[in-house]
Amino acid sequence: EAGVVQSPRYKIIEKKQPVAFWCNPISGHNTLYWYRQNLGQGPELLIRYENEEAVDDSQLPKDRFSAERLKGVDSTLKIQPAELGDSAVYLCASTRTSGSIYNEQFFGPGTRLTVL
Amino acid sequence: AQSVAQPEDQVNVAEGNPLTVKCTYSVSGNPYLFWYVQYPNRGLQFLLKYITGDNLVKGSYGFEAEFNKSQTSFHLKKPSALVSDSALYFCAVRAYSNSGYALNFGKGTSLLVTP
């Protein structure tokens, strides 16, 4: 089966500019995650979706970050305006069902964001 | 809070030798533990998980991990390392919050296997 698809793979912007990342999860996976991975660190959860509903966005900086998953499939993560500290790799992951705590997550290749 | 710690930033091992990447955990309740590997410019790939049952868990690419409750550890092991095993390895624990479950990752351990 096809894996999690993310685009773009790389993005370089100047601070204060907007930026958006797109994710297409594995077909049939109803749970979707966005993580941020800073250099030398493990991924940190930003937001988790169950179908169209954002059920955990407690770690999302809502003053500048937003996300949507309108039809319960693809998702977009947006930053507006970007700050220097937003430079990181943004990872999307999906899993088949939220009902099982045992399911592993499948990760996309990530988008490497550089804010100048 | 549910957390894991990876005490080593880097592990170096010669090809053909056994390798161990360490992970300790801190949880309330039963731990659900995972190992992922990250190759350069690629996303994380699942290696193995411990949910319950046998303390020795076997996973992908010849890796295994040993769950030790008394030492609160979940070390990743491989009997004979390959140069292609060189990558970044992350331990993670399933964490429960009011809104459900998420993964809490360690900071990662860089494994370098030399020929």
Side-chain angles (χ1 to χ4, degrees):
Chain A
E1 61 184 356
V4 177
V5 179
Q6 290 188 249
S7 68
R9 292 293 311 277
Y10 306 91
K11 190 73 176 179
I12 300 174
I13 62 172
E14 294 188 347
K15 63 181 180 182
K16 300 185 181 180
Q17 294 299 306
V19 64
F21 316 123
W22 175 80
C23 172
N24 180 242
I26 293 173
S27 178
H29 284 195
N30 59 331
T31 306
L32 183 146
Y33 308 79
W34 282 103
Y35 289 87
R36 176 168 58 188
Q37 185 178 16
N38 293 313
L39 189 64
Q41 300 295 320
E44 296 176 330
L45 181 70
L46 290 173
I47 189 168
R48 176 170 66 92
Y49 280 93
E50 302 291 349
N51 299 305
E52 312 83 44
E53 183 181 3
V55 295
D56 185 355
D57 62 357
S58 57
Q59 301 303 312
L60 191 71
K62 298 181 184 62
D63 57 336
R64 298 183 300 106
F65 286 66
S66 64
E68 61 183 14
R69 193 184 185 199
L70 295 176
K71 297 183 179 180
V73 181
D74 296 3
S75 177
T76 302
L77 178 69
K78 299 179 181 178
I79 308 175
Q80 183 171 10
E83 297 179 352
L84 295 177
D86 295 331
S87 295
V89 176
Y90 291 84
L91 294 166
C92 179
S94 69
T95 192
R96 182 167 297 278
T97 174
S98 63
S100 172
I101 63 173
Y102 310 134
N103 288 347
E104 61 270 26
Q105 296 175 20
F106 293 84
F107 285 79
T111 297
R112 182 177 297 276
L113 174 66
T114 301
V115 182
L116 302 175
Chain B
Q2 321 281 56
S3 65
V4 291
Q6 295 181 244
E8 303 157 317
D9 290 337
Q10 182 162 325
V11 170
N12 298 319
V13 64
E15 187 175 31
N17 284 357
L19 68 88
T20 299
V21 182
K22 296 180 179 177
C23 173
T24 59
Y25 65 88
S26 175
V27 304
S28 55
N30 294 323
Y32 302 117
L33 298 160
F34 300 77
W35 275 102
Y36 284 81
V37 60
Q38 187 175 35
Y39 297 100
N41 299 315
R42 298 180 65 178
L44 279 72
Q45 297 179 31
F46 169 76
L47 280 178
L48 50 80
K49 62 184 175 184
Y50 173 81
I51 304 300
T52 186
D54 290 342
N55 289 339
L56 187 63
V57 179
K58 294 188 181 299
S60 306
Y61 313 121
F63 284 93
E64 58 189 26
E66 185 173 8
F67 173 73
N68 188 315
K69 187 173 183 178
S70 62
Q71 298 185 6
T72 61
S73 67
F74 188 55
H75 300 333
L76 182 70
K77 300 181 179 182
K78 188 174 182 180
S80 178
L82 300 173
V83 172
S84 57
D85 292 330
S86 298
L88 198 53
Y89 290 81
F90 290 95
C91 182
V93 62
R94 195 81 187 203
Y96 179 75
S97 66
N98 289 338
S99 56
Y101 294 94
L103 278 177
N104 286 347
F105 287 87
K107 63 179 175 61
T109 298
S110 179
L111 173 66
L112 179 62
V113 182
T114 53

